[in-house]
Amino acid sequence: MLPYAARGVPIVGLEPSCLFALKDELAALLPGSDAAAVGSSAMLFEEFLARENVAGKLDLKLKALPQAKALLHGHCHQKAFDAVKPTLAVLKLVPGLDAKLVESSCCGMAGAFGYEPANLDASRKMAELSLLPALAKADAETLIVADGTSCRHQIADGAGRNAIHVARVLEAALDV
């Protein structure tokens, strides 16, 4: 990826845990300016779109969705690196979509942690602190958005709701 980073080409990722491992941890594993250059070029899909929109370079033709409301659960890495705001900004590009952030801590999955039998109770308790109660209050027509794969699994298992990635939201809203 270094040749792309050296040319200023953004390195765009979809899964927050993978992208932020590249952005934050690569330099610790491979110290030096090359790893730092790759890390500084890495960004989430929605960070890229939000950046392009602010720069006036984004020309997405979007239409309203059947859902008027969306709840966003931010992945822990998104929260830690202040990357939830761009996700909300991108969701708000969809005409008529009232997107709100679920004020929550970790969903409790932490990758595969929540699926390990010894951690199942702790994982469930984490989700029950704020995430699952917020989803229980949402009506069936509210769109649930979560970029993290493990977050989406926790939401499906704990709330019986299908959460989707912001890229899927935009795909559904494309007016083509």
Side-chain angles (χ1 to χ4, degrees):
M1 289 184 254
L2 181 60
Y4 298 103
R7 290 195 332 254
V9 175
I11 299 167
V12 179
L14 293 171
E15 170 61 39
S17 59
C18 296
L19 186 278
F20 284 108
L22 180 65
K23 188 171 186 68
D24 183 54
E25 297 171 24
L26 182 63
L29 295 170
L30 301 169
S33 61
D34 291 352
V38 169
S40 66
S41 294
M43 65 187 76
L44 286 171
F45 170 71
E46 56 271 31
E47 289 179 296
F48 174 76
L49 292 178
R51 182 187 84 174
E52 294 298 294
N53 189 50
V54 167
K57 298 178 185 177
L58 187 65
D59 186 25
L60 279 178
K61 308 273 189 275
L62 300 174
K63 64 182 184 235
L65 296 170
Q67 302 88 348
K69 295 185 286 184
L71 285 178
L72 169 66
H73 168 69
H75 184 282
C76 288
H77 283 92
Q78 286 174 294
K79 293 173 189 172
F81 290 93
D82 199 28
V84 175
K85 291 175 195 162
T87 307
L88 268 176
V90 166
L91 285 170
K92 291 180 179 192
L93 294 174
V94 177
L97 187 62
D98 179 23
K100 293 196 174 11
L101 179 65
V102 175
E103 294 296 334
S104 61
S105 62
C106 177
C107 73
M109 286 302 288
F113 171 89
Y115 281 124
E116 295 173 15
N119 303 326
L120 192 56
D121 287 339
S123 172
R124 182 64 180 204
K125 286 177 183 174
M126 287 287 297
E128 289 173 349
L129 286 174
S130 53
L131 175 60
L132 296 181
L135 298 180
K137 292 177 188 171
D139 63 49
E141 298 304 312
T142 299
L143 187 61
I144 308 299
V145 182
D147 284 353
T149 301
S150 57
C151 301
R152 291 192 301 272
H153 282 280
Q154 182 77 309
I155 289 167
D157 293 343
R161 299 289 300 263
N162 182 35
I164 63 173
H165 192 283
V166 68
R168 293 288 188 185
V169 175
L170 294 177
E171 176 188 34
L174 281 175
D175 192 13
V176 290

